Amino acid sequence: MLTNRGTACYSAPEIHAQRIWNERVDLWSGGLSICFMLLGRLPFRAGRDSVRRALKSGLAPPMDFCKLPWLLGNLAQQCLAPDPCDRPPAVELLAHPAFGDGSARAAGCCARGCRDAG
């Protein structure tokens, strides 16, 4: 990868630690996005010194997934593994139960229980 771009508080630990990184940094950002969508905040306080130190060390700060629905919390946890090698490839995440069996998408639905208005 050539350059570090994006929102710093959504950047993976390996970017903060100035280590080699790959496409799995996007999984980290996706995990944080899941948390933000469901909680209205990140699972950690990005401005805290302890969080910045952890990220600069290539570690994940302490995170609480208790208030997330179980399936989405599990998905977020997998995306937020501090070691990028422990984050599943994106194609594996698509098989996660949080995405359902795919029949709703195949039937033209925009979301579970929601019919396409088209």
Side-chain angles (χ1 to χ4, degrees), residues 12-14 19-22 24-25 27-28 55 57-61 63 77-89:
E14 57 270 29
R19 296 182 181 153
I20 294 173
W21 52 276
N22 60 23
R24 291 191 185 189
V25 298
L27 300 176
W28 174 274
L55 291 170
S57 298
L59 304 171
M63 294 182 256
Q77 279 184 289
Q78 289 184 47
C79 292
L80 295 170
D83 184 338
C85 294
D86 293 335
R87 295 177 211 141

Side-chain angles (χ1 to χ4, degrees), residues 1 7 21 24 29 31-32 34 43 50 57 64 68 79-80 82 84 86 96 101 114:
M1 303 295 157
T7 305
W21 52 276
R24 291 191 185 189
S29 300
L32 290 179
I34 290 168
S50 60
S57 298
D64 183 8
L68 294 175
C79 292
L80 295 170
D86 293 335
H96 192 280
D101 62 8
C114 170

Side-chain angles (χ1 to χ4, degrees), residues 1 16 18 36 41 73 99 112-113 116 118:
M1 303 295 157
H16 287 278
Q18 299 181 343
F36 193 87
R41 60 176 175 75
F99 293 113
R112 231 181 234 293
D116 190 0

Side-chain angles (χ1 to χ4, degrees), residues 27-99:
L27 300 176
W28 174 274
S29 300
L32 290 179
S33 295
I34 290 168
C35 293
F36 193 87
M37 286 187 293
L38 295 170
L39 301 172
R41 60 176 175 75
L42 296 176
F44 53 80
R45 295 193 184 260
R48 285 192 174 164
D49 286 339
S50 60
V51 169
R52 280 186 272 212
R53 278 193 305 274
L55 291 170
K56 281 191 172 196
S57 298
L59 304 171
M63 294 182 256
D64 183 8
F65 300 99
C66 293
K67 293 185 181 178
L68 294 175
W70 187 86
L71 279 177
L72 291 170
N74 178 268
L75 178 64
Q77 279 184 289
Q78 289 184 47
C79 292
L80 295 170
D83 184 338
C85 294
D86 293 335
R87 295 177 211 141
V91 70
E92 283 183 26
L93 286 176
L94 289 175
H96 192 280
F99 293 113

